[in-house]
Amino acid sequence: MSQNMDSGRGIETLRWRDGALEMIDQRVLPARFEYLRYASAAEVAEGIRAMVVRGAPAIGCAAAYGVALQALRLRQASREAFAMGLEEGFGLLAASRPTAVNLFWALARMRGVWESNRHRSAQDVADLLLAEAHEISAEDVRINRALGAHGAALLADGARVLTHCNAGALATAGHGTALGVIRSAVQSGKHISVIADETRPFLQGARLTAWEMVQEKIPVTLITDNMAGHLMSRGEVDAVVVGTDRVAANGDVANKIGTYMVAVLAQRHGIPFYVACPLSTIDLTVTDGAVIPIEERSPDEVTGFRDCQWAATGVLVRNPAFDVTPAELVTALITEKGVVKRPDREGIARLFRC
Ligand code: MRU
């Protein structure tokens, strides 16, 4: 086992240490493996915005800890100051990134604890909020293991699985969603190899997915995003498994920019296109993918990387961080409650009834 893994628990994307939140700095992986410490909602919101932590479920977990930290900081304050400071924390965290619904789901859950315990002391509320943040993280790992087991059954022994972005342990509290399916399949004794799209412009595939798979000795081949069609046309891809940031009520799926392109290619070549996510990523208030908010990020991410700029200064740039894959291109949605084949309104609604 690598030194980057906590014994038995795998990669610890977020951890609670000595009264503060620590998160792996995903901006500098794999060159450096280091934790940064966070002590307030404002700091956590900035960590989410800057993508120290990223991936829908991990963002939700971080936001929950952000609320707890805010409460702990204010536990000696007057009732009014505590309530005002907590609201400020909720606001900062909600404004950090717009697309992953898990952020808003986690904040709503934390708000529920706050609302139903307003009559208690600030110290008690802070303790309850911290307990809820711990529970959201622990639950996330359990859910990923459950959905991983459902998804693993869909992969044949020997399957070559293409994935886009990073929907692994680093994108969650542990195990991962898309990579959780792959991990579970490997743990069940199947021989799985991974093809990782590098995932321009932030390189989550090249930097994070490749690193995660190498850590666990799961065979992984890195390709640039524009190689996926070629490999599919040569019969070198058996399945695609990706994560998602938000699923609309009709089954449309928002995920990292480039996912839509992969889904179209997969359909062209008759390759199953699977999407793995917890129920907390499904947003029943959004009727279809067209109304999912799509984050636009800085042009710098497209004109270069870190200190290296390769595009002409002054060029116009678009940088939508996500795209929407229509439900009709999704072979199945893999969740902790089971697999929904050809997801549509009815199939998705059924998940919430069982
Ligand atoms: O911009 P990111 O890195 O936060 O985008 C992450 C993704 O698109 C993931 O595929 C998605 O959040 C699912 S993570 C289990």
Side-chain angles (χ1 to χ4, degrees):
M1 180 160 295
S2 152
Q3 59 179 2
N4 298 325
M5 312 243 199
D6 186 53
S7 56
R9 281 204 288 168
I11 297 162
E12 274 194 296
T13 304
L14 320 95
R15 65 186 187 192
W16 186 257
R17 286 282 154 93
D18 306 322
L21 174 66
E22 294 186 343
M23 303 196 286
I24 298 173
D25 186 352
Q26 300 195 29
R27 299 166 306 177
V28 298
L29 272 175
R32 294 204 307 276
F33 180 87
E34 61 191 35
Y35 283 92
L36 298 180
R37 273 176 79 78
Y38 293 83
S40 70
E43 286 177 12
V44 174
E46 177 52 24
I48 294 172
R49 192 207 58 75
M51 292 171 71
V52 168
V53 67
R54 29 69 48 201
I59 291 172
C61 294
Y65 279 114
V67 172
L69 284 166
Q70 191 77 347
L72 287 165
R73 270 164 61 89
L74 294 164
R75 63 182 183 268
Q76 312 286 11
S78 68
R79 233 163 228 288
E80 295 71 33
F82 181 80
M84 265 177 56
L86 209 53
E87 284 309 326
E88 190 193 343
F90 274 113
L92 289 169
L93 290 159
S96 58
R97 289 190 80 187
T99 304
V101 75
N102 306 61
L103 170 71
F104 306 98
W105 170 88
L107 290 177
R109 208 163 132 170
M110 297 300 279
R111 181 172 288 289
V113 172
W114 161 225
E115 297 292 353
S116 47
N117 291 284
R118 272 176 175 271
H119 58 284
R120 294 186 196 274
S121 71
Q123 178 68 62
D124 284 356
V125 173
D127 290 345
L128 287 165
L129 287 170
L130 180 59
E132 188 70 0
H134 287 324
E135 178 51 24
I136 287 173
S137 282
E139 206 179 273
D140 186 53
V141 181
R142 290 197 296 272
I143 285 171
N144 293 336
R145 288 192 196 286
L147 72 83
H150 290 302
L154 299 171
L155 299 180
D157 189 19
R160 297 156 300 174
V161 181
L162 185 140
T163 190
H164 192 75
C165 194
N166 172 269
L170 288 167
T172 63
H175 198 67
T177 57
L179 295 190
V181 168
I182 288 163
R183 277 196 173 89
S184 295
V186 169
Q187 285 163 8
S188 75
K190 289 179 179 169
H191 297 91
I192 304 290
S193 56
V194 175
I195 300 160
D197 278 354
E198 79 175 337
T199 318
R200 282 272 294 140
F202 206 69
L203 306 178
Q204 290 94 331
R207 296 188 304 103
L208 308 178
T209 294
W211 179 79
E212 267 197 59
M213 295 294 92
V214 167
Q215 295 293 303
E216 290 192 30
K217 301 194 169 42
I218 296 175
V220 58
T221 303
L222 176 63
I223 61 169
T224 61
D225 300 336
N226 50 3
M227 295 174 187
H230 174 69
L231 263 64
M232 288 183 186
S233 75
R234 296 290 166 106
E236 293 183 37
V237 178
D238 300 307
V240 176
V241 186
V242 296
T244 166
D245 287 78
R246 196 183 296 223
V247 180
N250 71 341
D252 292 349
V253 165
N255 192 45
K256 180 51 53 192
I257 193 76
T259 303
Y260 173 44
M261 223 160 58
V262 175
V264 171
L265 283 168
Q267 189 192 49
R268 168 76 176 83
H269 295 286
I271 296 166
F273 180 87
Y274 299 120
V275 178
C277 70
L279 259 58
S280 53
T281 306
I282 301 174
D283 184 355
L284 295 178
T285 70
V286 159
T287 53
D288 61 66
V291 280
I292 295 177
I294 300 293
E295 177 184 15
E296 288 267 349
R297 292 189 62 86
S298 162
D300 303 351
E301 292 179 356
V302 176
T303 53
F305 190 70
R306 294 196 182 131
D307 295 338
C308 173
Q309 182 186 321
W310 48 68
T313 302
V315 67
L316 298 176
V317 173
R318 284 293 312 275
N319 188 13
F322 300 93
D323 59 25
V324 174
T325 298
E328 66 188 84
L329 297 180
V330 179
T331 309
L333 199 62
I334 302 164
T335 77
E336 70 271 31
K337 291 270 185 81
V339 171
V340 183
K341 295 203 171 125
R342 295 279 161 216
D344 58 8
R345 271 178 215 290
E346 179 45 32
I348 287 184
R350 217 178 303 125
L351 277 174
F352 290 87
R353 289 201 292 265
C354 59

